[in-house]
Amino acid sequence: MLFLGDDWAEDHHDVELVDDYGTRLARKRLPEGLEGVTRLHALIAEHMPAEWADLDPGEAAAKVRIGIETDRGPWVQALIAAGYQVYAINPMSVARYRERHSTSGAKSDAGDAHVLAEIVRLDHAHHRPVAGDSAQAEAMKLVARTHQTLIWDRSRQMLRLRSALREFFPAALDAFDDLTAPDALELLGRAPDPARAARLSRSQIAAALRRANRRNVDVKAADMQQRLRAAQLRQPAAVQSAYAAIVTTQVRLIAALNAEVEQLGQVVADHFGRHRDAEHYLSQPGLGVVLGARILGEFGDDPHRFTDAKARKNYAGTSPITRASGTRTVVLARYARNRRLGDAVHQWAFCALKGSPGARAYYDALRARGTGHQAALRQLGNRLVGILHGCLKTNTAYNEATAWAHLQPTS
């Protein structure tokens, strides 16, 4: 076997190649891109044992293990396509291994390449190779992540808009329940300050509500007009004008994000609908197209990625961690996790409360024992991930009658 450590940067890669005994065979700095990958292949071929000459190129490449601190990008995909065994090592793990080799705190790119090479030489059994997800799953993960990022960006812009309104136009916060809704954005765009909002007629407000497909338009329009005209403290005219400009800008940004979120949501749905595992995910209670696409994209579709349900739960970050020392044992939530997947599973657990009597009973049992809402949702999400794993492994759809029969809250 040959073992290679690859410490990557934006424009170059520091690599070190060692043999079974840890003897350094080569150390190089390679450029990013096609030229760098070509030189890497040549470097590995130059130091391959003579007995590998009669092997098929794929068999020879499979005898090379590569450690790198990322699992994505064209460089990693090129290594996987060449047939190498590629291990994506968590940077936190690399930092701990570095301390094993040196306690002085010294650090260098070449030194990190050596540490990565030693990890895949001595400790590869405790790390996972980069999953062999299909191109379809990878594409879905990309669009689902971008869709989620746009939603998070919209929430940030909404909070900035809310902060500005609170400083000079609190009546708007009282009048509009959802600052990202089309009617709120239309009316704030037309009247971004208290003076102009007070001049809005009931018919103008009603027209905006109708375009947003609201119910009880006349009643809501009258109530909204009353709230916008309510007496309130005012900022000086110059300050109010500045705030109005800020509100106008934020409204335009949120409106643009609304349009992009909707369009990209259709792209996510198209990718998800074409995937072979879509039916298994949609059969789960609480999972729709967008949320199912997020979870499928983060889990991937490599059938050999997770050896058991526990491995899938650990990756999702739903399983707890235990810290035991002497007579003291503490069980804690797992906060070092895939944030996107953890967020999606938490939403899934909340949505499952309405879609599954079994999930609802499980959650209620936890709450009755004094477990907090967030902790109960986390435990419910942990159970849902286990049920999903079973469905995928057995190639069966979710069955409410059997899914919860043997699952009781753990102590």
Side-chain angles (χ1 to χ4, degrees), residues 90-119:
N90 189 296
M92 185 180 295
S93 297
V94 176
R96 298 298 179 267
Y97 276 101
R98 188 189 306 121
E99 294 172 359
R100 172 187 173 186
H101 286 264
S102 174
T103 58
S104 66
K107 183 186 182 303
S108 67
D109 294 342
D112 285 350
H114 172 74
V115 170
L116 286 163
E118 289 296 282
I119 291 174

Side-chain angles (χ1 to χ4, degrees), residues 280-288 290-292 294-296 299 312-313 316 318 340-356 359-360 376-378 380-392 398 404:
H280 292 306
Y281 279 81
L282 289 178
S283 71
Q284 307 298 314
L287 278 189
V290 172
L291 194 55
R294 289 183 191 171
I295 295 177
L296 197 163
F299 275 138
R312 190 181 290 271
K313 293 175 182 179
T318 57
R340 293 180 181 275
L341 180 56
D343 177 78
V345 171
H346 199 74
Q347 291 185 48
W348 176 19
F350 183 77
C351 294
L353 294 178
K354 292 185 177 180
S356 167
R360 182 79 225 189
L377 284 181
R378 187 164 54 247
L380 176 57
N382 193 48
R383 293 300 193 186
L384 289 170
V385 170
I387 293 171
L388 171 64
H389 181 81
C391 292
L392 294 174
Y398 172 84
W404 302 94

